[in-house]
Each structure stands twice: as structure tokens, then as C-alpha cells.
DNA sequence: CGCCTCGATGTCAGTCGCTGTCATGACTAC
DNA sequence: GTAGTCATGACAGCGACTGACATCGAGGCG
């Protein structure tokens, strides 16, 4: 209970996103972000490992949602299991969070350093999914393929969802993208 | 023709890989890499945008090989077109280059900063493939899915190839992984 | 041969990301 | 109220990276 002003990380994140939107990632120093949140540079680095990380708070919960979505699924083939995780992962992306997600993604897309970090987070997600699949007895190569495919579906759906106005539920977009992937591979088999 | 010692980038790359292998990425400064190649820090940054980039020379040629492999293919469905690029992309990975590729990958896997950069390069490859597919009339979502899937197949095959001793041709490993992906999605349809 | 151009390199100063260390101040527990 | 804990501040320092300017070596041209 907050001996000090609570929500330090969130304040820093908001300050960073605001400043990035206005001056660009390179045009903002960590000291400025911290000052904007009423803190010092040193404190920023106590809460975030580096300047990029400030836009990627709460990654563990997101990853966990994916994993629980998968472990909740009944046994099945590797790809179905991996795709079952998508349902859990879709939870945080509600219509009301759409504007925030959009602003954040805009900032990320604007700078390679932030895109790099996003890719690393998605890669970590794929690795976690792969591990969960091998724990269920799937071989390493099929597990990796299924996990990476699930992440591709997620990312593609997320891009489409962000491009829209948020009215369409994320889960719906994701189901559509998944169907499209199935259709594509079915066509290639012909 | 080399008024100065030629092969500057290559010398810097070799020096960096050697030093990273011995002292780790964080244990080596750019000044040390440059000195090891008989140059100064400032010159290093004239040839490479940053410290990480030194291990990713020749990315454009690699990407180009993928694209020409794809444009050489006859018309077909999106997924088949994307996978046609894999053949071209396999070219640089010969048995004789296996030791070098393995040492490089070992260094990359040892540090998140280098893994990030690798992911960014692969993402750029997927983007280029997506563009080439849309140029051929494929819709944006199927193009993105096919391109990302091709990259997933490539990366998975590369991991397996690196894990082996290089005796098996890379193209063969890649074909196997692709077949496995087809099998996985076919099973999920059932 | 001597002059000029040009591209690769060296030198230097400076900013910023990031870290280790120590001090301070607020709140809790006893 | 005294001690302990924890977020924070203050300060010094390293290394990545950049801009500006000087230098040096090779080739072109008289």
C-alpha cells in the first residue's frame, strides 16, 4: 500500500508514450520521461530494465493467459492445442482498450528499436508455447511449428484489429485469420 | 581496389565473432573489436550502424536470394509461391559454411541483444516476401500469412541444420520441415 | 615530377543509455 | 521512539554512438 505515490510504472509508461508520440523515441531522453512522471532517471531504471521496456509492461500476464488457454484445452493434435492458446491470449484486447493499444502500437511501429523488442517478446511467447507443447508429449519440431504458427496468427489478427476501429471483437478477427491459414495450406496441398 | 587494406567489414566481423566467443558480447567493447582488426572505434561505426550489426553483414543478398527464388516460380497459390522462395534462400547454407554459421549462431543465441537483431532481420525478410506476394495480386492477409509461414519453416529448418553436423543438405531439412507443417495443419482440420 | 581530388581513416569532444554506491526520507513493526 | 525496510535521490563512471575536422594514401592530369 503505497507509502509513496502508487502506480509508478504506469505513470512512467504513460509519460513515455505521450512524449514518444510528440517528439519521437529518439527525441526523448529517459531523464525527460522520469521528470514528466515526477521522478529521476535513476528511478526509471529501477522499474524498467531499459528505455524500450517501458512500453512492454505486463508481458508475463499476457504470456500466462496464452498458456492457461492452452492447458485448459482437452488433448488433441499439436496445432489445435497451440491454437487453443489464442483464445486465452485474446482476452486483454477489448474494445475499450483499443485506443490505448493503437497508440502504443503506433509508437512501436515508428522505431526499429521498439519493433525489435516487440519481436523478442513474441519470440519468448512462442518459446513458452513450444515448451508447453513438448510437456504434453509433442515432438520438438512439430511443437515449434505449431507454436510459431499460433503466434503468426495472433500477430496478423492483432495488426488487422488495430487497423480497424475496435468494433469487431478481437477473437472474431483471430478466428477469421486462423480459417484463412487453414485455407491457404489446403490450397497448397492441391 | 583497396588503397587501404581491403575486406574491412569482414575483418571486423571476424574479430567481433572471435572476441564474443571468448569474452561474451558484454565483455567486449567496440574499441577492442576495432583494435583487434587494426582500426579505431570511429571506423567501426562507419562500416556498421551499431555494435550488433557486425554479425549481420550480407543480409540484403540473402533477402534477395529469397525473392528471386520466389519470382522465378510459376504462378500458383500464395503458400506455394512463398515456399518457392525457400529454395533460393537455402543457397548460402552449404556444408562448408556450416562451421561458420554454427559459430555465429552460437554467439547470437548467447545474448538477447543479438537475438533481437536476428528477429528484426527475419521480420524484414517476411515483410519483403509479403510485398512480393501482394505485387502478384495476393491479398494482404493471405500474403502476410504465407510469408510468415515461409519464414517459420526457414527458421525451424535452420535451427535443426545448425544442431546437426552439416552433412545433411539444408534444402533437404527444409523440405522435411515444410512437409511436417502440412501434416500438422492437415491433422488439425480432421 | 608536382598538384589536385577523393575516399578511408584518425582524433577529439560531447550526448545519452545504463550501472554501482551511498545517503535520505517515509512508513511499519515492535 | 527506535529499529528496520524500501522507494527514491544524488553522484560518479563506463561504454555506445555521433558530429566536426584533420590526415593520409592512391589515382588523374598538367
Amino acid at each position: 500500500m503505497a507509502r509513496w505515490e502508487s502506480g509508478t510504472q504506469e505513470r512512467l509508461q504513460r509519460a513515455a508514450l505521450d512524449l514518444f508520440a510528440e517528439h519521437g523515441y529518439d527525441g526523448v531522453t529517459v531523464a525527460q520521461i522520469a521528470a514528466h512522471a515526477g521522478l529521476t532517471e535513476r528511478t526509471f531504471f529501477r522499474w524498467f530494465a531499459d528505455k524500450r521496456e517501458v512500453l512492454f509492461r505486463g508481458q508475463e500476464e499476457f504470456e500466462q493467459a496464452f498458456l492457461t488457454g492452452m492447458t485448459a484445452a482437452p488433448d488433441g493434435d499439436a496445432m489445435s492445442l497451440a491454437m487453443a492458446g489464442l483464445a486465452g491470449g485474446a482476452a486483454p484486447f477489448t474494445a475499450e482498450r483499443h485506443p490505448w493499444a493503437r497508440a502504443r502500437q503506433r509508437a512501436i511501429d515508428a522505431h526499429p528499436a521498439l519493433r525489435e523488442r516487440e519481436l523478442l517478446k513474441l519470440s519468448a511467447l512462442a518459446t513458452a508455447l513450444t515448451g508447453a507443447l513438448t510437456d504434453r508429449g509433442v515432438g520438438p519440431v512439430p511443437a515449434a511449428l505449431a507454436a510459431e504458427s499460433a503466434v503468426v496468427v495472433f500477430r496478423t489478427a492483432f495488426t488487422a484489429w488495430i487497423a480497424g476501429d475496435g468494433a469487431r471483437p478481437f477473437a472474431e478477427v483471430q478466428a477469421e485469420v486462423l480459417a484463412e491459414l487453414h485455407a491457404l495450406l489446403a490450397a497448397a496441398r492441391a
Side-chain angles (χ1 to χ4, degrees), chain A residues 91-134:
Chain A
F93 304 102
T94 61
E96 73 172 1
R97 287 205 197 173
H98 187 270
W100 157 261
R102 187 174 203 160
R104 176 176 168 277
Q105 197 60 34
R106 188 184 186 81
I108 292 173
D109 290 339
H111 202 287
L114 293 170
R115 286 202 13 85
E116 270 190 336
R117 182 55 50 87
E118 184 187 30
L119 292 168
L120 190 65
K121 298 295 188 186
L122 289 170
S123 172
L125 172 60
T127 302
L129 283 175
T130 302
L133 283 171
T134 54

mmCIF file of all heavy atoms in Angstrom, chain A residues 91-134:
data_model
loop_
_atom_site.group_PDB
_atom_site.id
_atom_site.type_symbol
_atom_site.label_atom_id
_atom_site.label_comp_id
_atom_site.label_asym_id
_atom_site.label_seq_id
_atom_site.Cartn_x
_atom_site.Cartn_y
_atom_site.Cartn_z
ATOM 1 N N ALA A 91 -8.017 -12.313 -24.591
ATOM 2 C CA ALA A 91 -8.771 -11.676 -23.505
ATOM 3 C C ALA A 91 -8.472 -10.186 -23.291
ATOM 4 O O ALA A 91 -9.402 -9.385 -23.175
ATOM 5 C CB ALA A 91 -8.545 -12.457 -22.213
ATOM 6 N N PRO A 92 -7.175 -9.790 -23.238
ATOM 7 C CA PRO A 92 -6.908 -8.385 -22.898
ATOM 8 C C PRO A 92 -7.337 -7.389 -23.962
ATOM 9 O O PRO A 92 -7.377 -6.186 -23.689
ATOM 10 C CB PRO A 92 -5.380 -8.338 -22.745
ATOM 11 C CG PRO A 92 -4.945 -9.758 -22.630
ATOM 12 C CD PRO A 92 -5.937 -10.557 -23.390
ATOM 13 N N PHE A 93 -7.661 -7.865 -25.163
ATOM 14 C CA PHE A 93 -7.875 -6.921 -26.260
ATOM 15 C C PHE A 93 -9.352 -6.612 -26.446
ATOM 16 O O PHE A 93 -9.984 -7.007 -27.415
ATOM 17 C CB PHE A 93 -7.239 -7.465 -27.539
ATOM 18 C CG PHE A 93 -5.795 -7.760 -27.347
ATOM 19 C CD1 PHE A 93 -5.346 -9.058 -27.162
ATOM 20 C CD2 PHE A 93 -4.867 -6.735 -27.297
ATOM 21 C CE1 PHE A 93 -4.005 -9.329 -26.945
ATOM 22 C CE2 PHE A 93 -3.521 -6.996 -27.077
ATOM 23 C CZ PHE A 93 -3.094 -8.294 -26.901
ATOM 24 N N THR A 94 -9.869 -5.862 -25.508
ATOM 25 C CA THR A 94 -11.269 -5.483 -25.545
ATOM 26 C C THR A 94 -11.430 -4.176 -26.315
ATOM 27 O O THR A 94 -10.462 -3.462 -26.571
ATOM 28 C CB THR A 94 -11.788 -5.284 -24.117
ATOM 29 O OG1 THR A 94 -11.040 -4.231 -23.509
ATOM 30 C CG2 THR A 94 -11.603 -6.546 -23.291
ATOM 31 N N ALA A 95 -12.677 -3.873 -26.649
ATOM 32 C CA ALA A 95 -12.954 -2.652 -27.418
ATOM 33 C C ALA A 95 -12.503 -1.410 -26.658
ATOM 34 O O ALA A 95 -11.973 -0.467 -27.248
ATOM 35 C CB ALA A 95 -14.448 -2.573 -27.735
ATOM 36 N N GLU A 96 -12.675 -1.425 -25.356
ATOM 37 C CA GLU A 96 -12.325 -0.216 -24.598
ATOM 38 C C GLU A 96 -10.825 0.023 -24.538
ATOM 39 O O GLU A 96 -10.374 1.146 -24.355
ATOM 40 C CB GLU A 96 -12.904 -0.286 -23.177
ATOM 41 C CG GLU A 96 -12.179 -1.259 -22.280
ATOM 42 C CD GLU A 96 -12.662 -1.142 -20.821
ATOM 43 O OE1 GLU A 96 -13.566 -0.314 -20.563
ATOM 44 O OE2 GLU A 96 -12.145 -1.865 -19.980
ATOM 45 N N ARG A 97 -10.060 -1.046 -24.696
ATOM 46 C CA ARG A 97 -8.604 -0.867 -24.672
ATOM 47 C C ARG A 97 -8.040 -0.578 -26.060
ATOM 48 O O ARG A 97 -6.835 -0.423 -26.227
ATOM 49 C CB ARG A 97 -7.926 -2.121 -24.123
ATOM 50 C CG ARG A 97 -8.122 -2.271 -22.625
ATOM 51 C CD ARG A 97 -7.014 -3.103 -22.033
ATOM 52 N NE ARG A 97 -7.377 -3.605 -20.708
ATOM 53 C CZ ARG A 97 -6.650 -4.463 -20.019
ATOM 54 N NH1 ARG A 97 -5.529 -4.927 -20.537
ATOM 55 N NH2 ARG A 97 -7.031 -4.879 -18.835
ATOM 56 N N HIS A 98 -8.919 -0.563 -27.045
ATOM 57 C CA HIS A 98 -8.455 -0.387 -28.421
ATOM 58 C C HIS A 98 -7.671 0.914 -28.634
ATOM 59 O O HIS A 98 -6.584 0.882 -29.236
ATOM 60 C CB HIS A 98 -9.646 -0.463 -29.379
ATOM 61 C CG HIS A 98 -9.263 -0.452 -30.820
ATOM 62 N ND1 HIS A 98 -9.139 0.703 -31.552
ATOM 63 C CD2 HIS A 98 -8.941 -1.460 -31.674
ATOM 64 C CE1 HIS A 98 -8.784 0.401 -32.790
ATOM 65 N NE2 HIS A 98 -8.656 -0.909 -32.901
ATOM 66 N N PRO A 99 -8.155 2.042 -28.149
ATOM 67 C CA PRO A 99 -7.406 3.290 -28.389
ATOM 68 C C PRO A 99 -6.004 3.242 -27.793
ATOM 69 O O PRO A 99 -5.030 3.655 -28.430
ATOM 70 C CB PRO A 99 -8.264 4.351 -27.684
ATOM 71 C CG PRO A 99 -9.628 3.763 -27.595
ATOM 72 C CD PRO A 99 -9.421 2.288 -27.440
ATOM 73 N N TRP A 100 -5.904 2.737 -26.590
ATOM 74 C CA TRP A 100 -4.608 2.626 -25.942
ATOM 75 C C TRP A 100 -3.690 1.697 -26.734
ATOM 76 O O TRP A 100 -2.530 2.034 -27.011
ATOM 77 C CB TRP A 100 -4.771 2.116 -24.512
ATOM 78 C CG TRP A 100 -3.557 1.475 -23.953
ATOM 79 C CD1 TRP A 100 -3.297 0.142 -23.876
ATOM 80 C CD2 TRP A 100 -2.405 2.131 -23.432
ATOM 81 N NE1 TRP A 100 -2.063 -0.074 -23.330
ATOM 82 C CE2 TRP A 100 -1.494 1.121 -23.049
ATOM 83 C CE3 TRP A 100 -2.050 3.466 -23.251
ATOM 84 C CZ2 TRP A 100 -0.251 1.419 -22.490
ATOM 85 C CZ3 TRP A 100 -0.807 3.754 -22.703
ATOM 86 C CH2 TRP A 100 0.070 2.739 -22.326
ATOM 87 N N ALA A 101 -4.201 0.547 -27.111
ATOM 88 C CA ALA A 101 -3.398 -0.411 -27.867
ATOM 89 C C ALA A 101 -2.934 0.198 -29.176
ATOM 90 O O ALA A 101 -1.802 -0.013 -29.619
ATOM 91 C CB ALA A 101 -4.204 -1.678 -28.124
ATOM 92 N N ARG A 102 -3.806 0.969 -29.769
ATOM 93 C CA ARG A 102 -3.476 1.586 -31.049
ATOM 94 C C ARG A 102 -2.364 2.620 -30.894
ATOM 95 O O ARG A 102 -1.411 2.658 -31.679
ATOM 96 C CB ARG A 102 -4.728 2.251 -31.624
ATOM 97 C CG ARG A 102 -4.544 2.769 -33.014
ATOM 98 C CD ARG A 102 -5.872 3.269 -33.567
ATOM 99 N NE ARG A 102 -5.869 3.260 -35.020
ATOM 100 C CZ ARG A 102 -6.973 3.264 -35.745
ATOM 101 N NH1 ARG A 102 -8.150 3.236 -35.166
ATOM 102 N NH2 ARG A 102 -6.893 3.284 -37.063
ATOM 103 N N ALA A 103 -2.482 3.457 -29.892
ATOM 104 C CA ALA A 103 -1.458 4.477 -29.660
ATOM 105 C C ALA A 103 -0.108 3.813 -29.369
ATOM 106 O O ALA A 103 0.933 4.233 -29.881
ATOM 107 C CB ALA A 103 -1.865 5.371 -28.493
ATOM 108 N N ARG A 104 -0.152 2.783 -28.561
ATOM 109 C CA ARG A 104 1.072 2.077 -28.218
ATOM 110 C C ARG A 104 1.696 1.459 -29.473
ATOM 111 O O ARG A 104 2.896 1.583 -29.705
ATOM 112 C CB ARG A 104 0.756 0.983 -27.191
ATOM 113 C CG ARG A 104 1.928 0.118 -26.827
ATOM 114 C CD ARG A 104 1.532 -0.859 -25.734
ATOM 115 N NE ARG A 104 2.529 -1.895 -25.536
ATOM 116 C CZ ARG A 104 2.617 -2.988 -26.250
ATOM 117 N NH1 ARG A 104 1.758 -3.183 -27.248
ATOM 118 N NH2 ARG A 104 3.558 -3.880 -26.014
ATOM 119 N N GLN A 105 0.879 0.823 -30.287
ATOM 120 C CA GLN A 105 1.405 0.170 -31.477
ATOM 121 C C GLN A 105 1.966 1.188 -32.465
ATOM 122 O O GLN A 105 2.975 0.929 -33.129
ATOM 123 C CB GLN A 105 0.310 -0.656 -32.149
ATOM 124 C CG GLN A 105 0.855 -1.687 -33.138
ATOM 125 C CD GLN A 105 1.791 -2.675 -32.462
ATOM 126 O OE1 GLN A 105 1.589 -3.030 -31.296
ATOM 127 N NE2 GLN A 105 2.825 -3.108 -33.164
ATOM 128 N N ARG A 106 1.325 2.328 -32.512
ATOM 129 C CA ARG A 106 1.812 3.395 -33.387
ATOM 130 C C ARG A 106 3.228 3.798 -32.995
ATOM 131 O O ARG A 106 4.106 3.968 -33.855
ATOM 132 C CB ARG A 106 0.862 4.587 -33.271
ATOM 133 C CG ARG A 106 1.119 5.697 -34.265
ATOM 134 C CD ARG A 106 0.156 6.863 -33.974
ATOM 135 N NE ARG A 106 0.258 7.912 -34.984
ATOM 136 C CZ ARG A 106 -0.343 7.879 -36.170
ATOM 137 N NH1 ARG A 106 -1.105 6.834 -36.467
ATOM 138 N NH2 ARG A 106 -0.195 8.858 -37.045
ATOM 139 N N ALA A 107 3.442 3.940 -31.707
ATOM 140 C CA ALA A 107 4.782 4.305 -31.218
ATOM 141 C C ALA A 107 5.784 3.205 -31.538
ATOM 142 O O ALA A 107 6.909 3.462 -31.986
ATOM 143 C CB ALA A 107 4.738 4.566 -29.708
ATOM 144 N N ILE A 108 5.386 1.973 -31.321
ATOM 145 C CA ILE A 108 6.300 0.845 -31.561
ATOM 146 C C ILE A 108 6.685 0.770 -33.033
ATOM 147 O O ILE A 108 7.855 0.610 -33.376
ATOM 148 C CB ILE A 108 5.653 -0.471 -31.100
ATOM 149 C CG1 ILE A 108 5.526 -0.487 -29.575
ATOM 150 C CG2 ILE A 108 6.436 -1.668 -31.592
ATOM 151 C CD1 ILE A 108 4.759 -1.672 -29.027
ATOM 152 N N ASP A 109 5.681 0.897 -33.898
ATOM 153 C CA ASP A 109 5.958 0.782 -35.331
ATOM 154 C C ASP A 109 6.837 1.916 -35.840
ATOM 155 O O ASP A 109 7.442 1.807 -36.903
ATOM 156 C CB ASP A 109 4.639 0.764 -36.120
ATOM 157 C CG ASP A 109 3.868 -0.530 -35.886
ATOM 158 O OD1 ASP A 109 4.495 -1.524 -35.475
ATOM 159 O OD2 ASP A 109 2.647 -0.551 -36.116
ATOM 160 N N ALA A 110 6.906 2.990 -35.074
ATOM 161 C CA ALA A 110 7.634 4.169 -35.540
ATOM 162 C C ALA A 110 9.135 4.051 -35.336
ATOM 163 O O ALA A 110 9.895 4.869 -35.853
ATOM 164 C CB ALA A 110 7.107 5.423 -34.841
ATOM 165 N N HIS A 111 9.590 3.060 -34.582
ATOM 166 C CA HIS A 111 11.029 2.972 -34.326
ATOM 167 C C HIS A 111 11.505 1.520 -34.280
ATOM 168 O O HIS A 111 10.949 0.708 -33.551
ATOM 169 C CB HIS A 111 11.389 3.662 -33.010
ATOM 170 C CG HIS A 111 12.818 4.068 -32.934
ATOM 171 N ND1 HIS A 111 13.836 3.154 -32.758
ATOM 172 C CD2 HIS A 111 13.424 5.274 -33.059
ATOM 173 C CE1 HIS A 111 14.988 3.800 -32.747
ATOM 174 N NE2 HIS A 111 14.767 5.087 -32.931
ATOM 175 N N PRO A 112 12.549 1.207 -35.060
ATOM 176 C CA PRO A 112 13.075 -0.159 -35.133
ATOM 177 C C PRO A 112 13.459 -0.729 -33.776
ATOM 178 O O PRO A 112 13.275 -1.923 -33.536
ATOM 179 C CB PRO A 112 14.317 -0.019 -36.013
ATOM 180 C CG PRO A 112 14.123 1.231 -36.784
ATOM 181 C CD PRO A 112 13.272 2.135 -35.947
ATOM 182 N N ALA A 113 13.973 0.111 -32.890
ATOM 183 C CA ALA A 113 14.397 -0.384 -31.590
ATOM 184 C C ALA A 113 13.208 -0.961 -30.827
ATOM 185 O O ALA A 113 13.328 -1.974 -30.132
ATOM 186 C CB ALA A 113 15.042 0.743 -30.778
ATOM 187 N N LEU A 114 12.054 -0.335 -30.989
ATOM 188 C CA LEU A 114 10.865 -0.824 -30.299
ATOM 189 C C LEU A 114 10.283 -2.029 -31.020
ATOM 190 O O LEU A 114 9.769 -2.955 -30.386
ATOM 191 C CB LEU A 114 9.828 0.301 -30.188
ATOM 192 C CG LEU A 114 10.267 1.445 -29.273
ATOM 193 C CD1 LEU A 114 9.322 2.648 -29.394
ATOM 194 C CD2 LEU A 114 10.328 0.984 -27.826
ATOM 195 N N ARG A 115 10.377 -2.042 -32.332
ATOM 196 C CA ARG A 115 9.911 -3.210 -33.078
ATOM 197 C C ARG A 115 10.743 -4.439 -32.705
ATOM 198 O O ARG A 115 10.226 -5.540 -32.533
ATOM 199 C CB ARG A 115 9.987 -2.961 -34.592
ATOM 200 C CG ARG A 115 8.910 -2.019 -35.074
ATOM 201 C CD ARG A 115 8.579 -2.139 -36.560
ATOM 202 N NE ARG A 115 9.089 -3.299 -37.248
ATOM 203 C CZ ARG A 115 8.479 -4.474 -37.281
ATOM 204 N NH1 ARG A 115 7.340 -4.650 -36.640
ATOM 205 N NH2 ARG A 115 9.012 -5.459 -37.953
ATOM 206 N N GLU A 116 12.036 -4.240 -32.565
ATOM 207 C CA GLU A 116 12.916 -5.324 -32.132
ATOM 208 C C GLU A 116 12.434 -5.922 -30.819
ATOM 209 O O GLU A 116 12.343 -7.142 -30.671
ATOM 210 C CB GLU A 116 14.342 -4.802 -31.927
ATOM 211 C CG GLU A 116 15.224 -4.863 -33.134
ATOM 212 C CD GLU A 116 16.668 -4.550 -32.760
ATOM 213 O OE1 GLU A 116 16.875 -3.872 -31.733
ATOM 214 O OE2 GLU A 116 17.574 -4.954 -33.484
ATOM 215 N N ARG A 117 12.154 -5.058 -29.879
ATOM 216 C CA ARG A 117 11.734 -5.538 -28.562
ATOM 217 C C ARG A 117 10.405 -6.281 -28.652
ATOM 218 O O ARG A 117 10.200 -7.306 -28.003
ATOM 219 C CB ARG A 117 11.630 -4.371 -27.589
ATOM 220 C CG ARG A 117 11.246 -4.764 -26.174
ATOM 221 C CD ARG A 117 12.195 -5.826 -25.596
ATOM 222 N NE ARG A 117 13.576 -5.498 -25.747
ATOM 223 C CZ ARG A 117 14.291 -4.769 -24.899
ATOM 224 N NH1 ARG A 117 13.714 -4.286 -23.825
ATOM 225 N NH2 ARG A 117 15.571 -4.540 -25.124
ATOM 226 N N GLU A 118 9.506 -5.782 -29.478
ATOM 227 C CA GLU A 118 8.223 -6.462 -29.667
ATOM 228 C C GLU A 118 8.441 -7.872 -30.227
ATOM 229 O O GLU A 118 7.824 -8.844 -29.766
ATOM 230 C CB GLU A 118 7.348 -5.648 -30.623
ATOM 231 C CG GLU A 118 5.966 -6.234 -30.807
ATOM 232 C CD GLU A 118 5.185 -5.506 -31.892
ATOM 233 O OE1 GLU A 118 5.807 -4.991 -32.848
ATOM 234 O OE2 GLU A 118 3.951 -5.456 -31.777
ATOM 235 N N LEU A 119 9.325 -7.965 -31.188
ATOM 236 C CA LEU A 119 9.606 -9.273 -31.786
ATOM 237 C C LEU A 119 10.208 -10.221 -30.761
ATOM 238 O O LEU A 119 9.908 -11.421 -30.745
ATOM 239 C CB LEU A 119 10.550 -9.108 -32.982
ATOM 240 C CG LEU A 119 9.953 -8.387 -34.184
ATOM 241 C CD1 LEU A 119 11.037 -8.009 -35.189
ATOM 242 C CD2 LEU A 119 8.891 -9.236 -34.851
ATOM 243 N N LEU A 120 11.044 -9.680 -29.887
ATOM 244 C CA LEU A 120 11.642 -10.529 -28.858
ATOM 245 C C LEU A 120 10.573 -11.051 -27.904
ATOM 246 O O LEU A 120 10.607 -12.216 -27.487
ATOM 247 C CB LEU A 120 12.699 -9.738 -28.079
ATOM 248 C CG LEU A 120 13.564 -10.557 -27.127
ATOM 249 C CD1 LEU A 120 14.423 -11.547 -27.895
ATOM 250 C CD2 LEU A 120 14.443 -9.662 -26.264
ATOM 251 N N LYS A 121 9.604 -10.205 -27.576
ATOM 252 C CA LYS A 121 8.521 -10.634 -26.694
ATOM 253 C C LYS A 121 7.690 -11.727 -27.359
ATOM 254 O O LYS A 121 7.319 -12.716 -26.716
ATOM 255 C CB LYS A 121 7.625 -9.447 -26.354
ATOM 256 C CG LYS A 121 8.318 -8.330 -25.604
ATOM 257 C CD LYS A 121 8.787 -8.752 -24.225
ATOM 258 C CE LYS A 121 9.305 -7.588 -23.414
ATOM 259 N NZ LYS A 121 9.881 -8.018 -22.137
ATOM 260 N N LEU A 122 7.391 -11.553 -28.635
ATOM 261 C CA LEU A 122 6.611 -12.563 -29.345
ATOM 262 C C LEU A 122 7.397 -13.860 -29.465
ATOM 263 O O LEU A 122 6.839 -14.956 -29.385
ATOM 264 C CB LEU A 122 6.219 -12.043 -30.738
ATOM 265 C CG LEU A 122 5.162 -10.946 -30.723
ATOM 266 C CD1 LEU A 122 5.017 -10.319 -32.105
ATOM 267 C CD2 LEU A 122 3.823 -11.513 -30.264
ATOM 268 N N SER A 123 8.685 -13.723 -29.636
ATOM 269 C CA SER A 123 9.541 -14.908 -29.707
ATOM 270 C C SER A 123 9.538 -15.656 -28.377
ATOM 271 O O SER A 123 9.499 -16.889 -28.338
ATOM 272 C CB SER A 123 10.960 -14.501 -30.091
ATOM 273 O OG SER A 123 11.832 -15.595 -29.993
ATOM 274 N N ALA A 124 9.557 -14.897 -27.294
ATOM 275 C CA ALA A 124 9.501 -15.521 -25.966
ATOM 276 C C ALA A 124 8.177 -16.244 -25.787
ATOM 277 O O ALA A 124 8.122 -17.341 -25.214
ATOM 278 C CB ALA A 124 9.678 -14.449 -24.879
ATOM 279 N N LEU A 125 7.111 -15.650 -26.290
ATOM 280 C CA LEU A 125 5.802 -16.294 -26.223
ATOM 281 C C LEU A 125 5.818 -17.617 -26.988
ATOM 282 O O LEU A 125 5.340 -18.652 -26.491
ATOM 283 C CB LEU A 125 4.744 -15.358 -26.806
ATOM 284 C CG LEU A 125 3.349 -15.926 -27.007
ATOM 285 C CD1 LEU A 125 2.769 -16.391 -25.677
ATOM 286 C CD2 LEU A 125 2.425 -14.905 -27.661
ATOM 287 N N ALA A 126 6.377 -17.591 -28.172
ATOM 288 C CA ALA A 126 6.451 -18.812 -28.982
ATOM 289 C C ALA A 126 7.272 -19.878 -28.263
ATOM 290 O O ALA A 126 6.905 -21.062 -28.263
ATOM 291 C CB ALA A 126 7.067 -18.496 -30.347
ATOM 292 N N THR A 127 8.340 -19.462 -27.633
ATOM 293 C CA THR A 127 9.179 -20.420 -26.902
ATOM 294 C C THR A 127 8.407 -21.042 -25.739
ATOM 295 O O THR A 127 8.489 -22.257 -25.498
ATOM 296 C CB THR A 127 10.436 -19.715 -26.376
ATOM 297 O OG1 THR A 127 11.146 -19.150 -27.482
ATOM 298 C CG2 THR A 127 11.340 -20.678 -25.634
ATOM 299 N N ALA A 128 7.645 -20.208 -25.040
ATOM 300 C CA ALA A 128 6.849 -20.724 -23.919
ATOM 301 C C ALA A 128 5.801 -21.717 -24.418
ATOM 302 O O ALA A 128 5.588 -22.781 -23.815
ATOM 303 C CB ALA A 128 6.174 -19.561 -23.188
ATOM 304 N N LEU A 129 5.160 -21.382 -25.526
ATOM 305 C CA LEU A 129 4.160 -22.286 -26.095
ATOM 306 C C LEU A 129 4.812 -23.599 -26.526
ATOM 307 O O LEU A 129 4.263 -24.685 -26.302
ATOM 308 C CB LEU A 129 3.470 -21.633 -27.296
ATOM 309 C CG LEU A 129 2.415 -20.578 -26.989
ATOM 310 C CD1 LEU A 129 1.917 -19.936 -28.278
ATOM 311 C CD2 LEU A 129 1.244 -21.200 -26.231
ATOM 312 N N THR A 130 5.971 -23.491 -27.132
ATOM 313 C CA THR A 130 6.688 -24.691 -27.562
ATOM 314 C C THR A 130 6.977 -25.594 -26.369
ATOM 315 O O THR A 130 6.762 -26.814 -26.428
ATOM 316 C CB THR A 130 8.013 -24.296 -28.246
ATOM 317 O OG1 THR A 130 7.735 -23.447 -29.361
ATOM 318 C CG2 THR A 130 8.752 -25.528 -28.735
ATOM 319 N N GLY A 131 7.422 -24.983 -25.285
ATOM 320 C CA GLY A 131 7.709 -25.750 -24.078
ATOM 321 C C GLY A 131 6.473 -26.455 -23.543
ATOM 322 O O GLY A 131 6.515 -27.628 -23.168
ATOM 323 N N ALA A 132 5.355 -25.733 -23.529
ATOM 324 C CA ALA A 132 4.109 -26.323 -23.028
ATOM 325 C C ALA A 132 3.678 -27.492 -23.910
ATOM 326 O O ALA A 132 3.129 -28.483 -23.414
ATOM 327 C CB ALA A 132 3.019 -25.255 -22.990
ATOM 328 N N LEU A 133 3.936 -27.385 -25.198
ATOM 329 C CA LEU A 133 3.556 -28.468 -26.117
ATOM 330 C C LEU A 133 4.448 -29.690 -25.924
ATOM 331 O O LEU A 133 3.959 -30.834 -25.896
ATOM 332 C CB LEU A 133 3.633 -27.979 -27.568
ATOM 333 C CG LEU A 133 2.478 -27.091 -28.025
ATOM 334 C CD1 LEU A 133 2.762 -26.495 -29.402
ATOM 335 C CD2 LEU A 133 1.177 -27.889 -28.055
ATOM 336 N N THR A 134 5.735 -29.454 -25.801
ATOM 337 C CA THR A 134 6.621 -30.609 -25.588
ATOM 338 C C THR A 134 6.320 -31.269 -24.240
ATOM 339 O O THR A 134 6.423 -32.493 -24.105
ATOM 340 C CB THR A 134 8.099 -30.191 -25.639
ATOM 341 O OG1 THR A 134 8.315 -29.130 -24.715
ATOM 342 C CG2 THR A 134 8.491 -29.723 -27.024
#
